[in-house]
Amino acid sequence: MTVALCPGSFDPPTSGHVDVIRRCARLFDRVVVGVVANPSKQSFFTLEERVGFLQNALCDLPQVVVRHYQGLLVDFARQEGAAVLIKGLRAVSDFDSELQMAQMNQTVGGIETMFMPTRPEWSFLSSSLIREVAALGGSVQGLVPDDVAKAMKERFS
């Protein structure tokens, strides 16, 4: 059984994140979505909220599990039995930092990384841009799962 790990902060999860994970679910026997808990970083949504949003968005895919982790990604991947990390790429600019991380993960943990380009309709999306639009009163409906859009609207009302 091939297990893939899709890691990220998902703060908030976007339609682009969900699309990449769904596409991975067609390719691998099991997909673990790893939501990182970074205590040194101030998150917009709590770890529990981010995990819940992803669980709701992916609940129809029994081969996908959402878990949170803290510490080294390669340690979490080993714990979950992941053979590969999947990283979504929106643009060439993402490749520079993702390549560096992939090489480090290969060096320190012996795990491979595969890059999955985002669909063109989601290539402009980022969690930080979503937060900015919502903070300024714009609608993020359709750009994030429905429960995320609702929570953001409530938070900024």
Side-chain angles (χ1 to χ4, degrees), residues 89 91-103 115:
L89 297 177
V92 173
S93 56
D94 289 344
F95 183 75
D96 287 336
S97 62
E98 293 294 348
L99 177 63
Q100 186 177 22
M101 286 189 281
Q103 292 169 330
F115 299 116

Side-chain angles (χ1 to χ4, degrees), residues 130-148:
I130 291 292
R131 289 191 306 268
E132 185 176 343
V133 168
L136 295 171
S139 172
V140 295
Q141 194 68 43
L143 304 176
V144 295
D146 289 342
D147 56 345
V148 175

